[in-house]
Amino acid sequence: MKLDACEPDSITYSALSGAYQQGLRWRAALDLLTVMAVHAVERDRIALTGVVNACEKGCRWQLAWCSLRSMCDLNVERDALMCSAVLSACERNSQWQPALKLLILMHQSKMNANTITYNTFTSACEKGEKWQLALNSLRAARIVTVESDTVTFSAAISACE
């Protein structure tokens, strides 16, 4: 039985991107975007989400942020899930300033931030020792009707210690 050579497409690359994410292979995931561009394969939301998540899991907040920004250049719509992955990368690295910028961007873009989004942001404030910002985060969540939970309150309390 002879198999014809198959040309990789966006589905193939998206699956590979997801595999890199699971294996914490953020460099390979980033290289994949270049390979896709060279082969004129559309860099879609699924592939880019895999890259963002791989960078987040590899604690590479700057690369996760850049990957998220590149979505605008590629006319790929960002969503709250992708933004939450970048927020998580910022939180893991005590980067409250870019986390704040991203939260503001989410609100300006009318993205639906959720409890996990605010938990992650509040934890970034805690790690950055920004207790006032952590408390403001609780107020902001209430204003946009996002329910705070034990994690949110615990991070805010820890920020005040």
Side-chain angles (χ1 to χ4, degrees), residues 19-136:
Y20 287 150
Q21 164 194 335
Q22 296 304 316
L24 303 175
R25 307 232 5 238
W26 58 269
R27 281 191 184 125
L30 284 170
D31 291 342
L32 189 61
L33 292 179
T34 304
V35 170
M36 290 175 77
V38 166
H39 293 292
V41 175
E42 178 187 3
R43 292 166 285 176
D44 62 7
R45 182 189 310 197
I46 297 168
L48 287 161
T49 299
V51 171
V52 167
N53 287 330
C55 292
E56 178 261 329
K57 286 181 173 38
C59 295
R60 304 292 183 210
W61 72 270
Q62 299 102 326
L63 297 174
W65 181 265
C66 288
S67 297
L68 185 70
R69 278 199 338 221
S70 73
M71 291 179 182
C72 282
D73 300 336
L74 298 169
N75 293 320
V76 174
E77 188 176 336
R78 298 174 288 196
D79 62 21
L81 189 61
M82 291 176 216
C83 291
S84 291
V86 177
L87 277 172
S88 179
C90 292
E91 180 263 337
R92 288 180 184 200
N93 289 275
S94 304
Q95 297 295 319
W96 64 271
Q97 295 105 327
L100 177 60
K101 286 180 186 175
L102 185 53
L103 193 61
I104 291 168
L105 174 74
M106 289 178 73
H107 285 291
Q108 289 172 342
S109 301
K110 307 273 190 260
M111 279 186 228
N112 293 325
N114 58 26
T115 302
I116 294 169
T117 306
Y118 278 94
N119 288 350
T120 307
F121 176 71
T122 306
S123 291
C125 294
E126 172 204 349
K127 289 182 178 178
E129 300 179 354
K130 296 295 177 188
W131 64 270
Q132 291 170 321
L133 197 53
L135 294 179
N136 284 336

